[in-house]
Amino acid sequence: MERYTIIAAERKGSFAERLSDLCDKVGNYLLKERQNGRQLHYTKIFLSDAQNQYQRLVESPLYQDLLGETAISVVEQAPVDGSKISLLMKTAEGKPDFMFHSLRLTEGETKGMNSYTQTIMLFEKYLRMLKEHGLRLDTHCVRTWIYVGDIDNNYAGVVKARNDIFNHYGLTIDTHFIASTGIGGNTQTRSACVAMDFLTFPKINESDKTYLKALDYLSPTHEYGVAFERGTMLRHNSKKSFFISGTASIDKHGNVIYVGDVMRQANRLLENINALLKDGGATLDSAKYFIVYLRDISDYVAVEEFMKQRFPSVPHVIVQAKVCRPEWLIEMECIAATD
């Protein structure tokens, strides 16, 4: 049985002290998980200041001794609880049946390159990896995360690059796209305006996937020029996994609704996620975790209380990250699973 958890550092002390605290928490957690027959599969690390924290992180015992042998994604999306660093960890029985690639560009690669070119470069890196394993983008890539620096200005280039890549490899409105979150975020590379994570399942067939639509609630993405699936259900290992893309307060005509009201937007986006899950025979009760993206950190207290009341037993992390339309104050994503 797979398990997801969120672990945050103490909200006091220097970054080094918080890393030490987190190392103790993670060590104790992984020990208990091993005693229950589960091992670490991957970790997503959210930092508040990658320029000053990344090198300390990768040199720390937390990274070197506890996390370093499994897949890791590091992104600057500040945890708005004040912890400076929070982790989303997946553990499960046995070895992973997937590949998790976290691809970043170096200063040399990004020099003079705009968001369109950087996005193409990242896809090309990933496509070379797929080719080495005899895999295909359309069949085996189930989920992507695209982190965009200065998203208000750079998102258009990312969208065009993804559209061009997908069109070249036969992913169209007549076939399918890939579940994805395109969201504000930075990395340790100062000049990089794009970074990407990819989730790949080498042993699946196209028939193992169902693309979730919920057309009474959400418009198809291609109607406003972007290429991603709202959600994908994957049948594997005698269960169904639901990969829900970043979802915001949008109606079936593609309009932003409840402009300026973060709580009404939160309720609407959860209606949308629930509708997507129902399209595959699940509900919000099947969610394993939520990542909550806030444009304005001053909305944290209200949203945190809302999440605790609505999902008291489901892990969540709230980070500061601008959504691709300025009118969206909040976005969420999740993974769900049913037998």
Side-chain angles (χ1 to χ4, degrees):
M1 182 179 69
E2 64 185 20
R3 184 181 182 190
Y4 295 87
T5 194
I6 307 291
I7 302 180
E10 287 290 326
R11 296 190 293 273
K12 61 181 180 180
S14 67
F15 186 69
E17 290 170 329
R18 298 183 195 213
L19 279 176
S20 178
D21 167 71
L22 202 53
C23 189
D24 291 340
K25 289 180 178 178
V26 170
N28 291 333
Y29 176 75
L30 291 178
L31 176 60
K32 292 178 181 178
E33 286 297 278
R34 286 193 294 271
Q35 292 171 345
N36 287 299
R38 290 185 291 266
Q39 60 181 319
L40 181 63
H41 279 188
Y42 70 78
T43 306
K44 301 189 80 167
I45 303 178
F46 305 93
L47 295 178
S48 60
D49 179 5
Q51 293 297 308
N52 288 301
Q53 297 166 350
Y54 179 79
Q55 197 59 37
R56 294 180 184 181
L57 167 67
V58 298
E59 293 173 354
S60 70
L62 169 69
Y63 194 100
Q64 295 286 332
D65 300 337
L66 298 178
L67 307 178
E69 294 185 0
T70 56
I72 302 173
S73 168
V74 182
V75 63
E76 181 185 302
Q77 290 177 328
V80 291
D81 63 357
S83 62
K84 290 185 179 291
I85 175 172
S86 293
L87 312 183
L88 166 63
M89 306 175 70
K90 179 192 176 184
T91 55
E93 297 174 353
K95 295 183 178 180
D97 60 352
F98 60 85
M99 297 186 296
F100 186 95
H101 294 99
S102 184
L103 301 186
R104 305 292 186 260
L105 297 171
T106 65
E107 292 289 351
E109 291 173 312
T110 58
K111 188 175 182 180
M113 301 296 182
N114 59 21
S115 62
Y116 176 88
T117 305
Q118 290 187 24
T119 305
I120 294 291
M121 292 170 66
L122 287 164
F123 267 110
E124 287 179 342
K125 281 189 175 188
Y126 175 64
L127 287 162
R128 288 194 293 270
M129 294 177 181
L130 288 182
K131 186 175 181 180
E132 290 173 0
H133 290 88
L135 304 176
R136 294 170 55 96
L137 177 66
D138 57 348
T139 301
H140 300 104
C141 183
V142 172
R143 183 73 162 85
T144 66
W145 291 263
I146 307 177
Y147 308 108
V148 188
D150 189 11
I151 192 170
D152 292 340
N153 291 306
N154 288 324
Y155 188 64
V158 172
V159 167
K160 186 178 187 307
R162 179 172 57 185
N163 289 352
D164 289 350
I165 287 284
F166 283 2
N167 185 62
H168 181 76
Y169 285 91
L171 284 78
T172 70
I173 60 174
D174 297 318
T175 57
H176 68 86
F177 299 120
I178 295 169
S180 185
T181 298
I183 196 75
N186 294 291
T187 70
Q188 69 276 12
T189 303
R190 187 172 302 179
S191 58
C193 50
V194 186
M196 295 185 69
D197 294 338
F198 298 85
L199 187 61
T200 312
F201 286 82
K203 297 181 180 180
I204 64 171
N205 300 306
E206 185 58 33
S207 59
D208 296 323
K209 295 181 286 183
T210 298
Y211 300 100
L212 310 173
K213 306 296 183 183
L215 295 179
D216 289 338
Y217 287 80
L218 301 114
S219 65
T221 61
H222 68 82
E223 289 186 357
Y224 52 95
V226 294
F228 71 93
E229 294 293 338
R230 298 288 188 190
T232 299
M233 180 180 73
L234 177 64
R235 302 172 191 84
H236 68 130
N237 295 336
S238 302
K239 67 184 176 88
K240 296 178 181 178
S241 295
F242 299 78
F243 300 91
I244 302 300
S245 299
T247 303
S249 180
I250 190 172
D251 67 15
K252 64 180 181 180
H253 304 295
N255 300 313
V256 180
I257 51 178
Y258 306 127
V259 174
D261 190 329
V262 68
M263 299 314 302
R264 294 184 75 187
Q265 286 194 16
N267 275 292
R268 173 61 192 215
L269 73 82
L270 285 172
E271 289 180 23
N272 291 343
I273 291 176
N274 194 50
L276 288 167
L277 291 169
K278 282 187 175 180
D279 206 22
T283 67
L284 283 169
D285 292 336
S286 305
K288 298 300 181 182
Y289 72 85
F290 290 96
I291 300 177
V292 184
Y293 303 101
L294 286 184
R295 187 176 186 90
D296 183 348
I297 61 172
S298 66
D299 290 324
Y300 166 68
V301 173
V303 173
E304 172 68 5
E305 184 62 24
F306 171 78
M307 292 300 293
K308 285 182 176 179
Q309 290 184 7
R310 186 76 183 269
F311 304 103
S313 60
V314 181
H316 71 271
V317 60
I318 304 178
V319 298
Q320 183 178 24
K322 291 183 177 180
V323 189
C324 60
R325 293 194 203 180
E327 299 83 3
W328 277 326
L329 304 177
I330 184 170
E331 180 171 297
M332 294 189 205
E333 67 172 70
C334 72
I335 287 178
T338 61
D339 294 329

